[in-house]
Each structure stands twice: as C-alpha cells, then as structure tokens.
Amino acid sequence: MTDETKEKLNEIKRSFRLMMNGPSSQSMREKGLDYKINWGVPLPMLKQLAREYGKDYDLAIELWKEDIRECKILATLMMPVDRMLPEITDLWMEQTPSQEIAELAAFNLYQYLDYAPVLAYEWIASGKDLEQICGYCILSRLFMQGKEPNERGINEFIDQAITAMQCDSMGVKHAAATCIKRFAGLGEEYETMVRKALKPYHLDFF
C-alpha cells in the first residue's frame, strides 16, 4: 500500500466517527447484521463520500480488507468497473459478510461488469445463500435494464428460481421472487412463461 492510499484509508476511517448513527448501528445488530465494526453510517452519506474520493482501485482493494461495514460498502462504490477482474470478484464474494453487503455489491458494482450474466448464473446455482442472493440481485438489475436471456438462460433461470423459492432461506426466497417478477416484466411472453412454470408449484407471485 502506498503512503497516499494509506493516508486516504485512515482519513476515511476517521470520518466515520463524525457520521456515525448509534441507533442505526444497534438496530442492525438486533437484525443479525453483526460486523466487527459498524458505525451505522447511512448509505446516502457513504455515496457522497465515495463521490468525493472518486474511483480508486488501490483504495477500494484496501477498504475491502477492513472488517468494517462502511469500508466494505465504500469499496463497492469506489472500485472501477473495468478493473474488477473475475478473480477479485470471486475473492470478494467469498469474503462477503452479510446479505446487506451482497445486495449492495450487486447494485453498486457487479451488475455493471462485462461478465455479470455469467457471474449471476454461476452464483444462483451455487447452493450458497449469499451467492444466490447476490446472483438474483444482479439478474434483477439486468432484467430491469431490458436485457433478455437466451433460451438456455431462460430455462436455467426459471428452474433455479423455482427451487430457490421453495428453500428455507427467506433471503434467497425473496431475492428469487423479486427476480422472477423482474423477468416477467420483460414482456407479456415472459409473464406467460413464468405463470405457466409456477402453476404446478402453486407459486403465484402476481
């Protein structure tokens, strides 16, 4: 780490004390979001901080290494999309500590990667809760952008989503159900496809 990056990192960590929200942090802990350090800083303030520093690969890498909620979120906001290599993405996913970070990483960063669809299909089939949630969040964003999967992708997605909506994890169920709705929103043909696929399982989300 260069001296400049180290100084920026320390500067950012010091700033959290000024932005901290005790009640928010306590509420997150009560809901099971148990980070080593959580200042409870609201997302709009973190986004503003990220804009002030701009995209910075080295700083994003160092921020992610910190076991601090706010650092993880800033890392997803500051990482330049064109420098987020697949091996870094895999590492970050392995080190993702919570559903909140998984969802924000998908929204702030992963949906914009060139290989986002490949990543998403790999993760929804992984059997790991956070990977599945992240994968469905990515696909939801892609469907909202009007990006349509090919026939093979459609069949794979619907099969995985139906399985996910019947699993024990509420987070995975919700992410898959939301994603199915986004998929159906691509057009009448897609909605009909979804209704037909869900009917035998009594999974009508419309």
Side-chain angles (χ1 to χ4, degrees):
M1 190 192 328
T2 65
D3 289 342
E4 183 183 359
T5 299
K6 187 175 182 179
E7 179 54 36
K8 286 180 182 178
L9 178 62
N10 290 334
E11 197 175 71
I12 286 170
K13 288 163 69 176
R14 284 194 297 269
S15 72
F16 294 151
R17 291 184 181 278
L18 303 176
M19 297 184 284
M20 73 176 290
N21 184 321
S24 176
S25 176
Q26 178 64 30
S27 174
M28 288 184 207
R29 279 196 296 274
E30 290 170 356
K31 292 173 183 174
L33 291 173
D34 193 18
Y35 302 93
K36 183 177 179 181
I37 300 176
N38 177 0
W39 295 101
V41 179
L43 289 176
M45 294 182 77
L46 291 175
K47 288 179 179 177
Q48 177 57 39
L49 191 60
R51 282 193 291 270
E52 290 172 9
Y53 281 89
K55 298 295 183 183
D56 188 324
Y57 174 85
D58 293 327
L59 185 54
I61 291 292
E62 296 304 324
L63 282 164
W64 183 265
K65 291 177 183 177
E66 299 288 330
D67 194 6
I68 300 172
R69 168 184 172 268
E70 288 74 15
C71 286
K72 298 281 191 199
I73 295 171
L74 281 175
T76 69
L77 290 164
M78 291 186 186
M79 173 60 79
V81 173
D82 60 350
R83 296 195 64 186
M84 190 64 176
L85 300 176
E87 52 266 34
I88 301 174
T89 307
D90 289 341
L91 179 64
W92 281 24
M93 187 68 251
E94 286 175 17
Q95 298 172 343
T96 297
S98 69
Q99 181 174 334
E100 180 192 27
I101 300 299
E103 291 173 345
L104 288 172
F107 180 79
N108 295 336
L109 180 60
Y110 300 156
Q111 66 162 313
Y112 301 111
L113 300 173
D114 290 341
Y115 53 94
V118 174
L119 201 62
Y121 282 104
E122 178 185 323
W123 285 348
I124 66 172
S126 73
K128 299 176 182 178
D129 287 1
L130 289 183
E131 288 189 6
Q132 290 183 76
I133 289 167
C134 198
Y136 285 117
C137 287
I138 293 169
L139 288 177
S140 288
R141 301 304 301 183
L142 296 179
F143 295 152
M144 288 172 71
Q145 294 167 27
K147 295 181 179 177
E148 304 176 16
N150 57 29
E151 186 177 348
R152 180 185 172 190
I154 288 171
N155 293 333
E156 183 181 345
F157 164 68
I158 291 177
D159 287 347
Q160 293 291 351
I162 287 173
T163 300
M165 286 191 286
Q166 298 175 90
C167 76
D168 294 330
S169 167
M170 287 305 297
V172 174
K173 279 183 179 180
H174 178 73
T178 299
C179 199
I180 276 279
K181 290 178 184 177
R182 303 298 186 206
F183 175 79
L186 286 169
E188 189 175 335
E189 176 188 355
Y190 293 94
E191 182 174 339
T192 301
M193 208 181 300
V194 168
R195 288 185 183 278
K196 185 177 178 181
L198 295 183
K199 191 173 181 181
Y201 301 92
H202 306 290
L203 295 169
D204 189 359
F205 283 80
F206 302 94

